[in-house]
């Protein structure tokens, strides 16, 4: 039992980092003409981007506080982040302002007055779904606290809740069945609900890449990427690499959609299903293993 849990925790963090690092070279590409066009390049060092860096920061802050303390999370981001990893401009600016002494709440509304609805809060949130999987309400409150460090728009927050809940539900059930119906019960924002219903229809048919991009999205906004990643997992999640290949073929924000779908496929399939050549070349592989194991110990304590 504990071995299986360890494998799923590791699968989630490593899957997120692999999806991010494998997706990064394809970021901004147009959708491929047909599925199966793009293949991961794993025979070279796989460097992760802001998605994984922020997930590491969130994880380490959770381990320090045994809960999400927004101030601790933000201070980690400010102290440890490498701006060259491809951060969203809004997120960079928020962190700069907080570093200059502006309150988090004020800083997050300074760039976009209603707060950011980018996918930056959703891309890093998987550890919360792992640690508090036994309590879905807690998953939502901790996900919200982690979001408001940079993303205060209701859609940015809801996207993060959806990915955290998905991780938790997959960890609890070990299954893909029922995930969409659970989300449909818990999600509040209309635009996400509509897209979840589209995803449900897509699972019964064979939509083209273009249709998926058009109806679910492939860009940096939470509403244009979170359901896309959930769909990628539900459709292709029996194989980690098929899931990532699909994210590459979609184009657009390939690293972040890859990170979210990779975390879901990773928690579903476990560590052993991740391609060994890719893992060998993944930046900070050992650190990610240690982090997953520490999160597991916290969740069992
Ligand atoms: N109004 C208008 N545009 C917005 C708003 C808003 N309220 N919120 C977001 N955008 P950001 P992230 C647009 O900067 O979510 C990186 O590559 C705006 O164009 O908060 O942390 C990551 O890896 C803004 O620049 O960043 C992710 O893939 C953009 O959404 C991705 O960027 C992203 O919001 C998102 O990172
Ligand atoms: Mg990125």
């Amino acid at each position: 039992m504990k071995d299986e849990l360890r494998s799923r925790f590791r699968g989630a963090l490593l899957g997120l980092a692999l999806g991010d690092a494998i997706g990064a070279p394809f970021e901004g590409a147009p959708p491929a003409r047909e599925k199966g066009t793009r293949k991961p390049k794993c025979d070279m060092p796989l460097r992760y981007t802001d998605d994984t860096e922020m997930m590491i920061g969130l994880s380490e802050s959770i381990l320090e506080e045994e809960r999400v303390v927004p101030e601790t999370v933000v201070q980690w981001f400010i102290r440890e982040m490498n701006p060259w990893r491809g951060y969203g401009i809004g997120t960079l600016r928020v962190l700069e302002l907080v570093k200059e002494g502006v309150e988090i709440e004020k800083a997050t509304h300074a760039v976009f007055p209603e707060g950011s609805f980018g996918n930056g809060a959703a891309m890093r949130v998987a550890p919360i779904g792992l640690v508090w999987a036994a309590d879905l309400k807690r998953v939502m409150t901790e996900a919200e606290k982690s979001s408001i460090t940079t993303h205060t728009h209701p859609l940015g927050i809801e996207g993060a809740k959806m990915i955290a809940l998905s991780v938790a539900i997959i960890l609890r059930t070990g299954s893909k069945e029922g995930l969409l119906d659970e989300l449909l019960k818990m999600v509040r924002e209309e635009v996400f609900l509509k897209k979840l219903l589209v995803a449900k229809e897509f699972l019964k048919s064979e939509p083209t890449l273009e249709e998926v991009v058009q109806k679910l999205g492939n860009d940096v906004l939470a509403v244009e990427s979170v359901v896309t990643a959930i769909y990628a997992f539900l459709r292709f999640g029996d194989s980690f690499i098929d899931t990532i290949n699909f994210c590459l073929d979609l184009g657009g924000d390939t690293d972040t959609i890859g990170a979210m779908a990779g975390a879901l496929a990773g928690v579903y399939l476990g560590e052993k299903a991740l391609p060994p050549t890719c893992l060998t070349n993944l930046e900070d592989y050992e650190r990610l293993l240690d982090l997953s194991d520490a999160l597991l110990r916290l969740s069992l304590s």
Side-chain angles (χ1 to χ4, degrees), residues 15-148:
L16 187 155
L18 280 182
D20 173 22
I22 293 171
F26 297 89
E27 192 181 5
R33 286 231 182 90
E34 52 188 279
K35 279 183 215 141
T37 306
R38 295 182 185 140
K39 299 280 180 238
K41 296 191 187 82
C42 280
D43 54 351
M44 56 177 194
L46 289 173
R47 188 166 284 244
Y48 58 73
T49 79
D50 55 326
D51 306 48
T52 304
E53 185 160 81
M54 292 193 117
M55 178 276 282
I56 292 174
L58 177 58
S59 299
E60 292 192 354
S61 312
I62 289 171
L63 291 167
E64 188 184 329
E65 302 278 6
E66 303 192 352
R67 63 200 167 103
V68 176
V69 177
E71 187 61 37
T72 307
V73 178
V74 171
Q75 288 307 325
W76 192 103
F77 291 157
I78 290 171
R79 205 174 54 240
E80 311 270 346
M81 64 110 89
N82 294 289
W84 49 264
R85 284 200 197 266
Y87 281 79
I89 44 164
T91 294
L92 273 183
R93 185 71 191 129
V94 169
L95 297 177
E96 264 170 29
L97 288 170
V98 178
K99 193 175 178 181
E100 287 164 14
V102 178
E103 278 168 39
I104 299 174
E105 165 75 13
K106 259 202 191 138
T108 53
H109 291 97
V111 191
F112 304 112
E114 298 164 345
S116 170
F117 43 68
N119 54 19
M123 70 191 186
R124 65 188 183 220
V125 80
I128 291 177
L130 296 175
V131 171
W132 290 289
D135 180 351
L136 296 184
K137 284 214 177 89
R138 177 104 194 249
V139 168
M140 289 199 283
T141 54
E142 300 292 342
E144 175 151 2
K145 282 194 279 165
S146 75
S147 301
I148 57 162

Side-chain angles (χ1 to χ4, degrees), residues 14 18 27 46 52 68 73 128 135 145 148 153 157-158 172 175 196 219 239 246 251 266 271:
L14 294 171
L18 280 182
E27 192 181 5
L46 289 173
T52 304
V68 176
V73 178
I128 291 177
D135 180 351
K145 282 194 279 165
I148 57 162
H153 192 286
I157 297 171
E158 189 83 331
R172 281 158 67 124
S175 160
L196 287 169
D219 75 24
S239 153
F246 180 68
E271 181 191 12

